[in-house]
Amino acid sequence: MLICSNKKANKRIEKAVTENIAYYSSEDWDIKCCEGVVMARKYSRQKQNIDFLCLDVTQEGAIAFAEHIRRLFPNIVLQIIADSSISPMSYLNPSIMAVSLLLKPYDKKQLCKAVQEMFQYALIKDTTIDQEECFIIEIKGDRIRIEYSSIVFFESREKKIIVMSDEREYCFYNTIDSLEKILPGNFIRSHRSFIFNLSRVQEIKMAQNTIIMNDGNKVPISRSYRSVVKENLI
């Protein structure tokens, strides 16, 4: 979790979060407090995933940062802190998708309610994800669900499959041929070792036999699959 406000507010929010975590999760949480958007941006670049963000949008550059963080981590649970000096139109929009709003000045009760809203949203979202919307793998006895929308591509490497998602990179045993048969229609084969998510494509460079994904990764196009890629992308 990332909290981005001033020093005093950060402490209050962190305390409220810590007091509520036990009700919703038994896991250890990594909570980072940043004073200012510059520090928060630096921290976000160091992380493969951020699950929760409490952001004071009255700070300089905060709206742009909120939009950036939503693109970077599409599944993040985002709480906005604002006041009357800033128009709701600037933060209540689809490019930010806040799930909770806390208006300053706020008291302890209002803060706790906003934090609870954030956790409850995450809990409901997690428990209502249908299996048809997820790719499920087993690693060391644990079943891991990965939302299809967060998967960028699958790669066959050294007799294993690497699935690259927004959250992290997973490794499991399977074959690319088997995956091609079971994946939804928006997953397209471009190479004997690659299947990519059509909805995550940013740019296609047929001359270079390369697909640029919206997370910056590159997926190759082999001669055998050029027609398939053209049919779906051009």
Side-chain angles (χ1 to χ4, degrees):
M1 171 178 279
L2 176 60
I3 302 171
C4 181
S5 187
N6 59 61
K7 186 176 182 179
K8 184 177 179 180
N10 283 348
K11 288 184 177 181
R12 292 180 65 190
I13 298 168
E14 183 177 13
K15 183 178 179 181
V17 167
T18 303
E19 290 175 349
N20 280 274
I21 281 176
Y23 292 100
Y24 299 96
S25 174
S26 59
E27 299 177 351
D28 292 329
W29 281 57
D30 176 16
I31 302 175
K32 174 68 175 179
C33 294
C34 293
E35 296 177 39
V37 172
V38 173
M39 186 184 299
R41 276 187 177 274
K42 183 177 180 180
Y43 177 77
S44 68
R45 288 195 292 267
Q46 299 169 354
K47 288 292 178 180
Q48 288 187 328
N49 189 52
I50 298 175
D51 297 306
F52 293 82
L53 170 63
C54 299
L55 177 64
D56 185 340
V57 294
T58 64
Q59 302 173 101
E60 184 178 356
I63 294 296
F65 176 64
E67 294 173 336
H68 166 75
I69 211 78
R70 175 59 68 191
R71 290 192 299 269
L72 193 62
F73 307 114
N75 297 317
I76 196 170
V77 178
L78 178 57
Q79 178 190 74
I80 292 297
I81 303 168
D83 61 21
S84 59
S85 70
I86 183 168
S87 169
M89 297 298 292
S90 64
Y91 54 81
L92 297 178
N93 62 69
S95 64
I96 292 178
M97 288 174 54
V99 303
S100 176
L101 174 63
L102 183 60
L103 292 174
K104 299 190 290 185
Y106 52 83
D107 57 27
K108 183 177 180 179
K109 184 178 180 180
Q110 291 168 324
L111 173 58
C112 285
K113 182 181 178 182
V115 169
Q116 288 168 4
E117 286 176 349
M118 199 167 47
F119 283 132
Q120 288 167 1
Y121 172 86
L123 184 64
I124 293 170
K125 181 175 181 289
D126 184 59
T127 55
T128 56
I129 293 175
D130 190 86
Q131 285 194 0
E132 293 183 359
E133 298 176 354
C134 294
F135 183 75
I136 302 175
I137 58 177
E138 289 197 12
I139 299 178
K140 296 181 179 180
D142 293 329
R143 288 172 62 86
I144 299 172
R145 297 185 307 168
I146 312 170
E147 290 184 58
Y148 281 121
S149 61
S150 74
I151 297 175
V152 183
F153 64 84
F154 294 87
E155 178 185 359
S156 176
R157 192 191 306 167
E158 297 178 355
K159 298 182 179 180
K160 293 183 180 180
I161 296 294
I162 306 298
V163 52
M164 182 65 69
S165 75
D166 291 321
E167 289 78 24
R168 54 171 288 187
E169 181 180 298
Y170 298 92
C171 181
F172 63 101
Y173 288 99
N174 208 321
T175 66
I176 208 80
D177 290 335
S178 296
L179 289 178
E180 188 177 17
K181 295 175 183 178
I182 64 173
L183 288 170
N186 59 307
F187 284 86
I188 310 298
R189 186 94 174 252
S190 68
H191 188 278
R192 66 179 183 180
S193 300
F194 283 85
I195 294 176
F196 67 93
N197 187 344
L198 187 65
S199 64
R200 300 299 300 270
V201 172
Q202 177 174 300
E203 183 182 2
I204 179 172
K205 296 184 177 181
M206 293 301 295
Q208 287 81 37
N209 294 317
T210 302
I211 301 167
I212 310 298
M213 309 304 291
N214 62 3
D215 69 338
N217 274 296
K218 297 180 180 179
V219 172
I221 306 170
S222 69
R223 182 178 301 177
S224 301
Y225 290 94
R226 281 178 65 90
S227 60
V228 175
V229 173
K230 282 184 176 180
E231 181 180 340
N232 285 278
L233 284 177
I234 298 179

